[in-house]
Amino acid sequence: MRARTFDLTLLRTLVAIADTGSVTAASKRLAFSQSTISMQLKRLEAQMELRLHEREGRQVRFTADGERLLTHARRLLALNDDAWQDMQVHQVSGELKLGIPEDYASLLPSVFSYFHQLYPGVGLEVICGVSADLVERVRSGDLDLALVTRQRNSPGGEVIRREPLLWAVGLSYQPLLRDPLPLALYTRGADVFREVAEQSLQSAGRRWRVAYTSQSMTGLAPVVMAGLAIVVVTRSMLTPMLKPLDESSGLPALPSIELALHRAPHRPSEPARRLAELIHEQLADGEP
């Protein structure tokens, strides 16, 4: 009888659903579409000829068979990851510098963690800064990689993801949405968010005033949460304390922005190439 072998990709999907509690969250972790995650779970059930899960709204609950397989899946994946790490540890080493705006750092924790597990011999330094400045540092060779908002005056880079821009206010306190609109804006030149917001309001014939400026959402968020201003964010930058506004607010629709990965002009090092691959896998599930 021919030996039967588990598909580790399907087992990784099973574990991701168990860890996150839903197909939606698992799709974000694994950088697959929700339909792909659902299809992989069905394929695993078909191969096992067992019912492994039940739906409870958007949540997934595992059956007794699913829980039993989950235990085996975790052991098999741990062994697989250990083997990869053992084989890679002596092959990939060196220093690596990645530039990223502070507001995008929250997109990459799982990438950083997984990269360190795979390549513990690589010293990764993450530098936060303004998108335009980071692009220049990559071009000069000071940084190996930079994940930034694609700039209109210096496009370049590989588009990794597109994200819609949204107007947002504080969850508990909101300003009146009448002219002149109080805005919390990025410092001029810090990113394209300010330019996009001002152009959209001007095209809609709306008036505004600058209530607060900062180079990151860390500085803008307290003013917005206090109900003193409106801010422009990407969907991934929303926090539980921010409330997105829809078309009923009367504010003009905003376009999408592009997240681009810039690479230094010289031939990329092996660590840079591996990190770029992980970033692409993790983030390339945004708006098409």
Side-chain angles (χ1 to χ4, degrees):
M1 179 177 177
R2 189 173 181 179
R4 303 182 68 180
T5 305
F6 280 107
D7 185 330
L8 294 183
T9 299
L10 301 185
L11 294 184
R12 199 173 293 279
T13 296
L14 185 77
V15 170
I17 295 173
D19 288 346
T20 62
S22 71
V23 169
T24 300
S27 70
K28 293 180 179 179
R29 169 183 283 195
L30 299 178
F32 287 132
S33 67
Q34 294 182 38
S35 58
T36 298
I37 294 294
S38 297
M39 179 188 68
Q40 290 176 339
L41 184 56
K42 290 179 181 178
R43 281 181 56 197
L44 184 59
E45 289 184 320
Q47 289 179 3
M48 299 297 299
E49 298 181 349
L50 293 170
R51 182 69 174 171
L52 302 176
H53 81 291
E54 296 175 350
R55 287 293 192 110
E56 293 181 350
R58 294 186 176 182
Q59 300 299 306
V60 175
R61 186 179 69 81
F62 289 103
T63 63
D65 288 327
E67 292 288 353
R68 191 164 70 255
L69 178 58
L70 186 60
T71 300
H72 295 300
R74 291 190 189 279
R75 298 210 313 259
L76 288 170
L77 290 173
L79 182 61
N80 172 84
D81 294 345
D82 286 346
W84 269 103
Q85 180 174 328
D86 181 64
M87 298 304 295
Q88 296 292 329
V89 65
H90 303 298
Q91 300 179 30
V92 181
S93 61
E95 302 298 321
L96 175 61
K97 291 184 178 181
L98 168 70
I100 187 170
E102 181 180 334
D103 296 328
Y104 294 158
S106 62
L107 294 173
L108 297 179
S110 59
V111 170
F112 295 152
S113 176
Y114 192 41
F115 184 79
H116 178 67
Q117 291 177 36
L118 291 177
Y119 315 114
V122 176
L124 173 62
E125 181 180 354
V126 180
I127 296 95
C128 290
V130 174
S131 288
D133 294 343
L134 294 174
V135 171
E136 290 303 316
R137 292 183 66 176
V138 169
R139 289 175 176 172
S140 69
D142 186 37
L143 297 176
D144 298 287
L145 300 167
L147 180 67
V148 302
T149 307
R150 203 173 195 187
Q151 306 297 295
R152 296 187 179 185
N153 57 351
S154 57
E158 174 193 4
V159 175
I160 298 293
R161 179 187 186 117
R162 293 179 177 85
E163 286 212 355
L165 289 178
L166 308 167
W167 299 104
V169 293
L171 180 65
S172 302
Y173 306 99
Q174 300 95 34
L176 296 175
L177 302 182
R178 63 189 183 193
D179 295 354
L181 294 164
L183 301 184
L185 297 174
Y186 281 81
T187 305
R188 195 172 295 282
D191 221 316
V192 298
F193 289 35
R194 177 170 183 156
E195 177 185 351
V196 169
E198 291 180 339
Q199 288 182 353
S200 297
L201 291 173
Q202 185 174 7
S203 298
R206 300 296 300 266
R207 292 183 299 111
W208 70 91
R209 64 179 179 85
V210 179
Y212 195 80
T213 61
S214 175
Q215 290 193 343
S216 71
M217 269 299 295
T218 302
L220 299 177
V223 174
V224 178
M225 290 188 293
L228 302 179
I230 308 163
V231 71
V232 173
V233 295
T234 65
R235 194 175 303 280
S236 63
M237 289 163 57
L238 284 171
T239 70
M241 297 305 295
L242 293 178
K243 173 185 175 182
L245 298 175
D246 56 27
E247 62 276 3
S248 65
S249 67
L251 296 177
L254 295 168
S256 295
I257 53 98
E258 297 176 331
L259 273 64
L261 185 64
H262 291 256
R263 308 169 194 243
H266 53 74
R267 182 177 180 180
S269 64
E270 190 61 18
R273 188 180 69 81
R274 300 289 181 98
L275 180 58
E277 289 176 353
L278 285 180
I279 290 174
H280 192 282
E281 291 173 4
Q282 174 72 18
L283 299 186
D285 63 338
E287 178 186 332

